[in-house]
Amino acid sequence: MQNIEQNLLIIRKKIERAALKSGRQASDIILVAVSKTVDMTMVQQARELGIDHFGENRVSELLGKREMLPDAKWHMIGRLQTNKVKDIVGQTCLIHSLDRWKLAEELDKRGEIEGIEVPVLLQVNIAGEVQKAGFAAEDIKQVLDSAGQFKKLKIYGLMTMAPLLADAEEARPVFKELSKLKHRFIDNRYSNVELKYLSMGMSQDYEVAIEEGANIVRVGSALFH
Ligand SMILES: *Cc1c(COP(=O)(O)O)cnc(C)c1O
């Protein structure tokens, strides 16, 4: 309890400082507590300390934890296989990891069957790392252009994972690039698109990400240790 509480105090302070630096307030930033490595006791503790948003990178884990804490907001942040689409639609407030067109089509189809909106972010592989999922930055325009064909899928922003680097400062250009991408398209009127979220920054670099415009940060180890 003590640890999470202390960690959270530090994280909130850093979020506030970074938000102010970029002309915003702490309340403009959504902290998603990434609970993928911890059990329900820890999740429960974080919840009691006022955390509303939790992130998981596996569907089964998310569903299990959500069942025990249904009033929290659950984010899917990991790679999503098409055969899991039927399980996840309707169970998550936001899917951060829409990384390919085929998955968009499957999510949309499922949304139609269930009669509910499917809110997603486009995962962008800014650094072009071969081992990472995501659309190339050059592909984003085409995805947004084509989003009008969806019935239930809604694109609410962009997500990226910066390469793991020795120094958080080294990730800054990646965050800058995603921010630029958002601003490039934000005034266009694409249907089914409202680019309001930038999900970027993890334990080691969330302050830099916020300085560059992130309004969702995904923090795991800095909170749960
Ligand atoms: C695990 C994970 C995080 C959190 O990573 P930490 O370094 O523990 O903060 C954030 N985003 C994604 C997509 C992850 O898989």
Side-chain angles (χ1 to χ4, degrees):
M1 189 70 177
Q2 201 64 327
N3 271 354
I4 300 183
E5 189 166 11
Q6 300 264 303
N7 297 341
L8 185 57
L9 271 177
I10 294 166
I11 291 167
R12 289 223 165 107
K13 206 161 271 163
K14 288 182 174 174
I15 287 177
E16 179 170 23
R17 198 166 54 205
L20 289 176
K21 252 187 170 175
S22 62
R24 294 172 299 160
Q25 300 181 326
S27 57
D28 296 324
I29 316 295
I30 296 173
L31 169 63
V32 174
V34 177
S35 51
K36 66 187 181 196
T37 60
V38 303
D39 63 15
M40 235 15 237
T41 341
M42 301 271 262
V43 173
Q44 197 70 51
Q45 284 178 12
R47 180 78 177 133
E48 277 160 23
L49 292 166
I51 290 186
D52 300 322
H53 296 261
F54 293 90
E56 287 288 336
N57 64 348
R58 288 170 171 216
V59 171
S60 55
E61 188 84 9
L62 186 150
L63 295 180
K65 284 174 173 159
R66 182 184 189 271
E67 206 168 304
M68 290 184 268
L69 211 57
D71 60 329
K73 298 195 167 76
W74 291 93
H75 296 244
M76 176 61 190
I77 62 172
R79 188 163 169 89
L80 185 56
Q81 290 168 322
T82 40
N83 64 0
K84 297 281 169 63
V85 161
K86 60 181 187 320
D87 304 321
I88 195 75
V89 166
Q91 306 294 314
T92 167
C93 74
L94 188 60
I95 296 170
H96 294 224
S97 43
L98 175 57
D99 58 0
R100 56 201 192 278
W101 183 255
K102 175 79 186 150
L103 179 60
E105 291 179 330
E106 294 295 319
L107 287 167
D108 188 56
K109 244 191 265 169
R110 191 65 206 178
E112 252 195 294
I113 291 170
E114 307 226 354
I116 47 172
E117 179 182 298
V118 186
V120 301
L121 305 179
L122 301 179
Q123 181 171 353
V124 191
N125 187 355
I126 293 286
E129 292 174 282
V130 285
Q131 73 275 21
K132 281 225 176 102
F135 293 100
E138 308 85 77
D139 296 339
I140 297 303
K141 184 179 184 303
Q142 201 188 341
V143 175
L144 298 177
D145 276 335
S146 315
Q149 73 184 65
F150 293 125
K151 305 273 196 325
K152 293 294 178 183
L153 191 94
K154 291 266 179 333
I155 298 169
Y156 283 108
L158 306 175
M159 177 273 218
T160 199
M161 286 175 81
L164 288 176
L165 301 160
D167 182 354
E169 274 305 321
E170 291 179 60
R172 192 180 292 276
V174 171
F175 299 142
K176 249 194 212 328
E177 209 50 47
L178 194 72
S179 212
K180 254 171 49 189
L181 204 56
K182 177 184 159 195
H183 284 107
R184 194 171 131 208
F185 297 117
I186 201 160
D187 292 331
N188 297 22
R189 287 211 256 126
Y190 298 106
S191 21
N192 298 323
V193 176
E194 184 189 339
L195 295 179
K196 59 176 179 178
Y197 294 123
L198 265 187
S199 167
M200 54 187 196
M202 313 186 354
S203 288
Q204 63 155 15
D205 51 25
Y206 65 92
E207 294 167 85
V208 176
I210 293 170
E211 286 171 20
E212 295 302 332
N215 52 8
I216 303 182
V217 290
R218 311 177 307 266
V219 178
S221 50
L223 179 65
F224 297 111
H225 73 263

